[in-house]
């Protein structure tokens, strides 16, 4: 194909050269290809990358550009080329992990499936920790507890109790940032605090999500024999932080094959977990990896892809990876980006309701496909800049929208708080040596950190478990645990009656719901209770609802037939970065609606991001709740003038 004048060369530089200098010429070639030629090139380029002999490849891949095909083809290539190959595929986006696990289960032979492991990055790290029992400096026992974000606050309060009087700047967020960046503060009280943190988490035989990565890397560095996979695929690399990159480098230092994929312009987690897009950029600019690129998007409709490509190119930084991002099919009849202006937040809700009503038959069909497992993504994604949906509080529309969307509530594959509470009380009976389980019971019992601190101190000073401390508080808590466990074990009693009896001992917020949950999933006993929750904390992601309300950041890894972004005004969208807005745009397959509401938190006009989408790619419309009227407006200027007319004048 590369010798044909009708097709551009493969986007693959074996020596690691960047594509920058020839991108304009290549873009010109790609834009001249018709639909058939684009699909032919897409398939050939992907196969060329997937079967290339290079041992280390970096794939720059925009949204919907076909990474899953590359991954599966590369796995097949490695397995066919090496009879001893063992492949590990990892991403921190749970939805992507679930989808690839499904591909491996259905598209590989039974023998090949046994040679492939797919998990989240934290699932991989936990596996290492369980086999290594930590590092020489940070030891852990088998069945290490994974402490979720909410419970980490309890752990940190226990740490702070040993250092009274410190200012609020010595906080948990700072500790988590240190583990993410692997830059530990050596000034003032930090060394002592970090030492106490290790003492407490070791006492609880626990680890948080941030330090899990560091401990796994330390274990690998000390025990290279823990690495039993020879080929690695790492996805979403643009959102990796320093500690995650360090772990991957340790795991893959002597690997027979490595494929890394990502797109620096889809980086979302710089604040949340100190991710560094510059990491993937440095790989791209270096010579250790061959560079590949996937230029065509098969997810988004023609105009949506064109709009997203133009938007991200206009604000592209000089340091970003320059890339080609084009629609796979030229279909100018497809819907353009819908720019929707409304006079009030309640009109936004009405617009969403009318859209769903107009597409009811299509939605019903989508729901049936989700039930049968043929569809995993939502029919409609409603994305908001604010997780509280407070942008609509002006006229109470947020409450109306949340209530109305409840009919399509997400199916959770995880357990409820009530279930976990009961399980924790039962586990404390079977594994009394587990200090973390008993610590959680004490929290459930309403004990403050100040009340628990002397108990922890006694256990540490006496080199004993928390359960062995002589205390009426602990004795009473353990007695209650025994009562709860005894009730659960009364299998002859209907589950609803057992839950009612347990509710007389401990707080249960939704007895009927947890009774149904226990009917389906009985409480496992002993150590399995801890294992079950640890795995759930790492791997579980609720299945998407047919109609899903999420934040823009929360939509990562998803796509939907239709996407509506609400709050696209000069107030609400100010909290979002350009990269986040780009990711939100590229979730849409068929239609994308960017909605601006007057009277929302004092907004005056549409956000500047919308001005960076070319006019010819948009339809400008105004929607009024009265009469459910949707009116086309000829120009962007007229559209913005209408928004201004709706904004209340200040006296």
């Amino acid at each position: 194909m590369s010798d044909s004048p009708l097709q551009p060369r493969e986007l693959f530089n074996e020596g690691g050269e960047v594509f920058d200098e020839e991108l304009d010429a290549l873009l010109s070639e790609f834009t001249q290809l018709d639909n058939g030629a684009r699909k032919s090139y897409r398939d050939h380029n992907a196969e060329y990358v997937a079967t290339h002999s290079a041992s280390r490849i970096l794939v720059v891949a925009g949204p919907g550009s076909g990474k899953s095909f590359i991954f599966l083809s590369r796995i097949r290539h490695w397995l066919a080329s090496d009879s001893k190959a063992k492949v590990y595929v990892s991403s921190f986006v749970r939805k992507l992990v679930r989808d690839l696990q499904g591909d491996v289960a259905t598209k590989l032979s039974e023998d090949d499936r046994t040679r492939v492991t797919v998990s989240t990055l934290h699932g991989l790290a936990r596996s290492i920790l369980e086999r290594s029992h930590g590092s020489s400096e940070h030891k852990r026992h088998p069945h290490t507890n994974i402490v979720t974000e909410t419970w980490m606050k309890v752990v940190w309060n226990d740490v702070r109790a040993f250092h009274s009087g410190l200012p609020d700047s010595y906080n948990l967020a700072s500790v988590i940032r240190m583990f993410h960046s692997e830059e530990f503060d050596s000034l003032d009280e930090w060394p002592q605090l970090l030492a106490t943190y290790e003492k407490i988490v070791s006492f609880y035989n626990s680890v948080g999500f941030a330090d899990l990565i560091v401990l796994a890397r330390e274990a690998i560095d000390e025990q290279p024999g823990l690495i039993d996979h020879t080929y690695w695929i790492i996805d979403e690399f643009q959102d990796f932080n320093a500690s995650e990159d360090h772990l991957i480098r340790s795991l893959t230092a002597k690997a027979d094959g490595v494929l890394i994929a990502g797109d620096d312009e889809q980086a979302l987690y710089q604040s949340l977990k100190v991710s560094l897009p510059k990491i993937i950029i440095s790989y791209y600019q270096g010579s250790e990896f061959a560079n590949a690129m996937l230029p065509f998007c098969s997810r988004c409709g023609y105009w949506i892809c064109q709009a997203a490509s133009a938007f991200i190119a206009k604000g592209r930084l000089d340091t970003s990876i320059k890339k080609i991002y084009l629609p796979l099919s030229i279909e100018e009849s497809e819907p353009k980006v819908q720019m929707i202006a409304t006079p009030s937040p309640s009109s936004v809700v009405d617009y969403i309701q009318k859209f769903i009503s107009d597409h009811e038959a299509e939605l019903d069909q989508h729901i049936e496909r989700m039930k049968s497992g043929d569809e995993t993504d939502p029919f409609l994604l409603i994305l908001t800049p604010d997780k509280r949906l407070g942008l609509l509080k002006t006229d109470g529309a947020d409450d109306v929208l949340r209530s109305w969307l409840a009919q399509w509530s997400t199916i959770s594959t995880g357990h409820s708080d009530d279930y976990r509470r009961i399980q924790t009380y039962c586990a404390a009976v079977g594994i009394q040596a587990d200090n973390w389980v008993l610590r959680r019971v004490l929290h459930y019992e309403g004990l403050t950190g100040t009340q628990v601190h002397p108990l922890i101190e006694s256990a540490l000073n006496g080199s004993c478990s928390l359960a062995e401390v002589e205390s009426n508080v602990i004795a009473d808590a353990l007695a209650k645990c025994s009562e709860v466990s005894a009730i659960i074990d009364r299998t002859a009693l209907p589950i609803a009656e057992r839950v009612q009896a347990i509710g007389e001992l401990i707080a249960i917020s939704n007895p009927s719901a947890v009774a149904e949950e226990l009917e389906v999933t009985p409480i496992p006993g002993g150590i399995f209770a801890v294992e079950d929750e640890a795995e759930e904390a790492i791997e579980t992601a609720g299945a998407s609802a047919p109609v899903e309300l999420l934040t823009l950041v929360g939509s990562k890894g998803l796509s939907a037939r239709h996407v509506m972004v609400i709050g696209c005004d000069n107030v609400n969208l100010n909290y979002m970065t350009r990269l986040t807005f780009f990711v939100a745009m590229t979730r849409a397959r068929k239609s994308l609606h960017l909605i601006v509401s007057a009277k929302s938190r004092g907004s005056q006009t549409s956000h500047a991001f919308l001005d960076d989408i070319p006019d010819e790619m948009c339809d400008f419309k105004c929607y009024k709740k009265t009469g459910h009227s949707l009116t086309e407006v000829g120009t962007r200027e007229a559209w913005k003038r209408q928004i201004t007319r709706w904004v209340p004048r200040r006296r």
Side-chain angles (χ1 to χ4, degrees):
M1 178 184 291
S2 57
D3 297 328
S4 170
L6 300 177
Q7 290 279 1
R9 75 171 184 88
E10 296 87 0
L11 283 176
F12 194 95
N13 288 339
E14 187 173 357
E17 302 87 359
V18 299
F19 294 100
D20 295 16
E21 294 183 1
E22 59 177 331
L23 276 185
D24 288 341
L26 284 168
L27 177 60
S28 178
E29 292 183 61
F30 283 127
T31 54
Q32 294 178 48
L33 298 180
D34 61 22
N35 288 349
R38 291 185 180 211
K39 292 176 182 176
S40 177
Y41 178 87
R42 186 270 312 267
D43 295 344
H44 172 82
N45 186 61
E47 190 66 20
Y48 185 88
V49 174
T51 58
H52 199 278
S53 60
S55 61
R56 292 173 179 259
I57 300 174
L58 169 65
V59 179
V60 178
S65 57
K67 288 186 299 182
S68 296
F69 176 86
I70 290 278
F71 294 164
L72 204 59
S73 295
R74 191 65 171 169
I75 290 169
R76 287 190 175 115
H77 172 71
W78 281 334
L79 296 179
S81 304
D82 183 352
S83 61
K84 296 182 180 180
K86 294 184 68 178
V87 184
Y88 207 111
V89 188
S90 188
S91 170
F92 73 90
V93 179
R94 295 168 178 175
K95 171 65 166 58
L96 300 180
V97 168
R98 288 203 314 273
D99 288 348
L100 191 55
Q101 286 172 335
D103 285 344
V104 168
T106 58
K107 297 178 181 179
L108 295 182
S109 69
E110 185 174 349
D111 288 341
D112 283 349
R113 289 198 296 270
T114 64
R115 300 161 64 192
V116 180
T117 303
V118 184
S119 83
T120 60
L121 187 67
H122 286 88
L124 165 61
R126 182 171 188 267
S127 171
I128 294 169
L129 190 60
E130 283 300 294
R131 288 180 287 128
S132 66
H133 304 155
S135 64
S136 57
E137 187 177 357
H138 304 106
K139 294 183 182 297
R140 295 294 184 272
H141 302 297
H143 312 296
T144 305
N145 297 295
I146 307 299
V147 183
T148 58
E149 181 180 355
T150 300
W151 286 104
M152 279 299 295
K153 296 173 184 176
V154 174
V155 172
W156 185 244
N157 285 337
D158 290 345
V159 173
R160 284 286 304 252
F162 284 87
H163 302 268
S164 60
L166 290 180
D168 292 341
S169 57
Y170 291 92
N171 52 47
L172 177 59
S174 297
V175 176
I176 292 173
R177 281 196 297 272
M178 290 181 200
F179 279 107
H180 284 325
S181 65
E182 294 193 336
E183 297 176 355
F184 297 94
D185 200 326
S186 59
L187 299 176
D188 303 323
E189 299 295 324
W190 274 117
Q192 291 76 24
L193 266 172
L194 291 169
T196 303
Y197 174 79
E198 172 56 26
K199 180 166 63 174
I200 292 298
V201 291
S202 178
F203 176 68
Y204 290 145
N205 192 36
S206 66
V207 65
F209 282 107
D211 40 327
L212 171 59
I213 300 295
V214 175
L215 264 65
R217 193 264 309 157
E218 289 178 351
I220 287 294
D221 289 346
E222 290 181 358
Q223 305 175 56
L226 291 167
I227 306 172
D228 54 8
H229 289 78
T230 50
Y231 296 87
W232 294 82
I233 294 175
I234 310 297
D235 192 17
E236 300 293 328
F237 207 71
Q238 74 278 354
D239 282 314
F240 277 45
N241 56 39
S243 69
E244 292 163 343
D245 178 44
H246 196 171
L247 172 60
I248 295 304
R249 287 182 180 274
S250 293
L251 287 167
T252 62
K254 297 182 179 180
D256 294 325
V258 181
L259 187 148
I260 288 175
D263 172 12
D264 59 306
E265 291 179 324
Q266 293 186 73
L268 298 185
Y269 300 107
Q270 293 97 312
S271 297
L272 184 63
K273 66 184 192 79
V274 201
S275 64
L276 299 170
K278 69 179 182 182
I279 293 175
I280 192 173
I281 294 172
S282 69
Y283 276 68
Y284 177 71
Q285 294 174 340
S287 58
E288 184 182 358
F289 281 71
N291 282 330
M293 190 174 291
L294 306 181
F296 289 117
C297 169
S298 59
R299 172 195 295 164
C300 303
Y302 174 74
W303 291 111
I304 298 169
C305 182
Q306 292 279 76
S309 182
F311 170 79
I312 198 65
K314 188 162 186 178
R316 181 168 288 142
L317 301 175
D318 292 339
T319 54
S320 299
I321 298 174
K322 296 177 176 62
K323 56 187 70 72
I324 295 172
Y325 186 63
L326 294 170
L328 181 62
S329 297
I330 304 171
E331 301 291 348
E332 295 187 3
S333 61
E334 290 186 346
K336 294 185 177 183
V337 175
Q338 303 296 294
M339 297 281 194
I340 308 297
T342 67
S344 67
S346 62
S347 296
V348 175
V349 177
D350 195 73
Y351 179 81
I352 296 170
Q353 291 174 325
K354 185 177 188 303
F355 180 89
I356 291 178
S357 177
D358 291 344
H359 294 78
E360 185 175 1
E362 190 181 353
L363 173 58
D364 289 343
Q365 293 171 3
H366 190 95
I367 291 172
E368 291 304 313
R369 290 196 298 273
M370 293 184 80
K371 289 179 179 178
S372 65
D374 296 327
E375 179 66 68
T376 59
D377 283 317
F379 176 77
L380 171 63
L381 269 178
I382 304 166
L383 303 181
T384 168
D386 192 322
K387 63 183 178 181
R388 298 164 300 174
L389 198 61
L391 67 108
L392 299 178
K393 66 182 180 182
T394 308
D395 56 7
D398 51 345
D399 294 332
V400 175
L401 183 58
R402 285 193 184 281
S403 176
W404 184 71
L405 291 177
Q407 61 187 301
W408 295 287
S409 59
T410 301
I411 304 167
S412 174
T413 56
H415 287 302
S416 68
D417 291 341
D418 285 336
Y419 183 97
R420 285 301 176 206
R421 186 184 296 255
I422 296 171
Q423 187 181 47
T424 300
Y425 277 79
C426 292
V429 176
I431 43 176
Q432 290 193 11
D434 192 314
N435 295 319
W436 178 238
V437 172
L438 183 52
R439 176 64 183 93
R440 286 177 51 161
V441 169
L442 296 177
H443 180 79
Y444 284 139
E445 287 294 296
L447 272 72
T448 65
T450 302
Q451 292 172 307
V452 174
H453 176 67
L455 304 177
I456 297 172
E457 203 167 27
S458 294
L460 289 171
N461 292 337
S463 298
C464 63
S465 71
L466 198 55
E468 293 173 311
V469 172
E470 292 187 10
S471 161
N472 291 334
V473 169
I474 288 179
D476 291 344
L478 289 173
K480 186 175 289 188
C481 291
S482 296
E483 290 184 72
V484 171
S485 181
I487 294 170
I488 282 291
D489 289 341
R490 293 172 61 187
T491 54
L493 194 66
I495 191 66
E497 294 183 25
R498 280 182 273 166
V499 170
Q500 182 180 358
I502 290 172
E504 296 174 2
L505 297 171
I506 65 176
I508 301 294
S509 62
N510 194 333
S512 60
V514 76
E516 293 179 7
E517 196 173 357
L518 288 165
E519 195 77 62
V520 175
T521 312
I523 294 285
I527 201 76
F528 298 104
V530 180
E531 288 288 280
D532 176 44
E533 182 170 11
E535 289 301 321
E536 184 178 301
I538 290 174
E539 300 291 357
T540 295
S544 296
V547 180
E548 190 82 81
L549 175 65
L550 296 170
T551 62
L552 275 71
V553 172
S555 68
K556 180 68 174 176
L558 293 176
S559 65
R561 189 164 179 81
H562 306 283
V563 171
M564 296 182 180
V565 184
I566 61 178
C568 295
D569 56 69
N570 66 324
V571 173
N572 294 291
L573 207 56
N574 283 342
Y575 302 102
M576 295 295 105
T577 66
R578 176 175 286 271
L579 301 188
T580 302
F581 193 68
F582 171 69
V583 169
M585 291 177 68
T586 54
R587 302 309 92 191
R589 295 181 178 274
K590 183 69 174 177
S591 74
L592 172 63
H593 308 246
L594 305 180
I595 305 176
V596 180
S597 170
K599 307 170 189 173
S600 177
R601 282 185 176 171
S603 61
Q604 301 294 312
T605 186
S606 57
H607 193 274
F609 284 169
L610 275 60
D611 294 336
D612 289 342
I613 302 173
D615 290 15
E616 64 271 19
M617 300 173 186
C618 306
D619 285 333
F620 298 97
K621 299 176 180 178
C622 293
Y623 181 82
K624 293 182 180 180
K625 184 176 179 180
T626 304
H628 311 296
S629 63
L630 184 64
T631 306
E632 291 198 27
V633 180
T635 65
R636 184 188 300 268
E637 290 72 23
W639 183 74
K640 294 176 79 169
R641 282 198 300 271
Q642 181 58 66
I643 297 172
T644 303
R645 292 191 195 103
W646 283 330
V647 173
R649 295 182 180 180
R650 296 181 179 177
R651 296 181 179 179

